[in-house]
């Protein structure tokens, strides 16, 4: 990943990230330094990623959703996120093009990675999202969206899909 002698970000990875994101050399190098301090081996594991998510949602249970997000970002399917996957994920979710965000959302909902999204998969992701919404806030949701099943049904109807459609 980086230069093994200096621990610096390799020119190859830096050039790749500059061409695939809107980040500058300085931003990427600073993020790499921080990443290496937090992940000296250059990888984020699923449990580490889930802990990071837990910090953002201290009053709920983000573990299931974090696991799905991790899966969607682990593009080489090795069970870890390296710096490149991490930065591409950051770019995609914060400043990426709409088309790329849609591709990522599709990969998030395509739980079994078969290239199609089923209503069961939609329900699985929505149920994971609901675990992150504190119960007192769930009470304020509209009647037709106040459970994972209702929200999945509404979304499925929006796309005009039959119960077992894809």
């Amino acid at each position: 990943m980086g230069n093994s002698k200096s621990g610096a970000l390799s020119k190859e990875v830096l050039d790749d990230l500059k061409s695939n994101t809107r980040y500058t050399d300085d931003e990427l190098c600073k993020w790499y330094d921080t990443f290496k301090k937090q992940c000296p081996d250059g990888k984020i594991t699923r449990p580490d990623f889930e802990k990071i998510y837990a910090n953002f949602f201290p009053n709920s249970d983000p573990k299931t959703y974090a696991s799905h997000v991790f899966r969607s970002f682990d593009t080489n399917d090795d069970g870890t996120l390296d710096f490149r996957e991490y930065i591409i994920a950051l770019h995609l979710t914060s400043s990426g093009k709409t088309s790329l965000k849609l591709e990522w959302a599709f990969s998030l909902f395509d739980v079994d990675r078969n290239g199609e999204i089923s209503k069961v998969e939609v329900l699985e992701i929505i149920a994971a999202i609901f675990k992150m919404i504190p119960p007192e806030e769930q009470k304020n949701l509209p009647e037709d969206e106040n459970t994972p099943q209702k929200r999945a049904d509404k979304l499925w109807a929006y796309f005009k899909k039959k119960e077992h459609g894809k």
Side-chain angles (χ1 to χ4, degrees), residues 128-143:
I129 292 169
F130 261 71
K131 288 181 179 180
M132 297 190 312
I133 304 171
E136 61 276 2
E137 289 182 34
Q138 288 184 29
K139 293 175 187 174
N140 297 326
L141 294 172
E143 179 65 30

Side-chain angles (χ1 to χ4, degrees), residues 8-72:
L9 183 58
S10 73
K11 180 173 177 11
E12 177 184 84
V13 172
L14 182 62
D15 289 345
D16 177 52
L17 289 172
K18 281 178 20 188
S19 68
N20 286 297
T21 70
R22 297 178 183 169
Y23 302 132
T24 66
D25 283 15
D26 284 347
E27 289 172 317
L28 290 166
C29 289
K30 286 176 186 174
W31 280 334
Y32 184 72
D33 289 343
T34 302
F35 183 86
K36 287 297 283 184
K37 286 176 187 166
Q38 294 175 344
C39 307
D41 66 351
K43 305 278 184 174
I44 298 174
T45 64
R46 184 181 305 260
D48 291 338
F49 190 79
E50 290 169 358
K51 287 177 192 171
I52 292 167
Y53 248 77
N55 290 331
F56 291 106
F57 300 93
N59 300 320
S60 60
D61 178 12
K63 186 176 180 178
T64 305
Y65 184 72
S67 176
H68 285 296
V69 172
F70 184 91
R71 171 190 43 79
S72 72

Side-chain angles (χ1 to χ4, degrees), residues 111-126:
V111 175
D112 64 8
R113 295 183 173 177
N114 70 349
E116 300 175 327
I117 298 173
S118 68
K119 188 174 180 184
V120 170
E121 290 171 313
V122 169
L123 180 58
E124 184 173 337
I125 299 301
I126 291 174

Side-chain angles (χ1 to χ4, degrees), residues 97-110:
K97 293 178 182 176
T98 302
S99 62
L100 294 176
K101 288 179 184 181
L102 286 171
E103 285 180 29
W104 172 73
F106 187 93
S107 73
L108 177 68
F109 279 87
D110 185 15

